[in-house]
């Protein structure tokens, strides 16, 4: 549940659903993300600790594993997930005000309305529609 401590686990992506070519048709590729600003110490944990945290959280999310993973890889990115700093909303308002003041000026990206892939895709589509309308 949101706000519940999952041992540093921020969430799990079904990577093979997003990118089907990344796994055979009869397999699932998961990507579990730990750490971030909430648990920055996760980057210093050893691989076995990280894997144990991931598997425990995923068991809570999805139930017991039918079989263990075929492959496991650990990647460490100490600054991998962007975090909005205090004052973010006022900076976004300033960007939007600049856009309003200068027709034809467009901004898009994870620095505005969300860091996730879905957020960026939605913002990119919105920006493309606004740009198309402006060009017409």
């Amino acid at each position: 549940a949101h706000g519940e401590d999952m041992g540093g686990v921020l969430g799990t992506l079904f990577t093979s659903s997003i990118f089907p070519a990344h796994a055979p048709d009869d397999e699932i590729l998961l990507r579990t993300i730990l750490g971030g600003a909430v648990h920055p110490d996760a980057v210093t944990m050893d691989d076995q600790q990280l894997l144990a945290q991931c598997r425990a959280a995923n068991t809570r999310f999805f139930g017991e594993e039918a079989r263990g993973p075929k492959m496991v890889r650990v990647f460490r990115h100490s600054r991998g997930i962007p975090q909005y700093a205090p004052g973010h909303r006022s900076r976004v308002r300033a960007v939007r005000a600049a856009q309003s003041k200068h027709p034809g000026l467009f901004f898009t990206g994870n620095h505005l309305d969300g860091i996730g892939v879905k957020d960026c895709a939605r913002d990119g589509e919105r920006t493309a529609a606004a740009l198309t309308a402006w060009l017409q």
Side-chain angles (χ1 to χ4, degrees):
H2 181 70
E4 187 176 340
D5 183 8
M6 298 298 291
V9 172
L10 301 176
T12 295
L13 303 172
F14 282 75
T15 303
S16 53
S17 294
I18 302 166
F19 303 106
H22 287 200
D25 290 341
D26 61 340
E27 295 181 13
I28 298 170
L29 176 61
L30 300 176
R31 181 171 303 189
T32 301
I33 302 168
L34 290 93
V38 178
H39 296 282
D41 58 318
V43 76
T44 64
M45 296 168 70
D46 69 43
D47 288 358
Q48 293 310 311
Q49 289 174 300
L50 290 172
L51 294 174
Q53 295 295 88
C54 289
R55 292 179 84 178
N58 286 339
T59 296
R60 286 183 66 188
F61 292 146
F62 311 121
E64 292 295 323
E65 295 176 345
R67 58 185 156 89
K70 282 187 170 182
M71 176 187 74
V72 174
R73 292 178 70 187
V74 175
F75 296 93
R76 295 173 191 276
H77 302 283
S78 61
R79 297 178 49 86
I81 300 176
Q83 300 290 315
Y84 295 139
H88 173 74
R89 287 190 178 129
S90 64
R91 287 187 292 278
V92 171
R93 282 193 299 274
V95 166
R96 298 297 184 216
Q99 280 182 248
S100 295
K101 185 176 179 181
H102 303 285
L105 179 63
F106 297 91
F107 294 94
T108 191
N110 70 350
H111 64 289
L112 295 170
D113 298 314
I115 63 167
V117 172
K118 286 172 57 176
D119 300 319
C120 292
R122 181 182 60 244
D123 192 45
E125 289 174 352
R126 180 193 56 75
T127 302
L131 177 60
T132 300
W134 182 78
L135 288 172
Q136 292 173 351

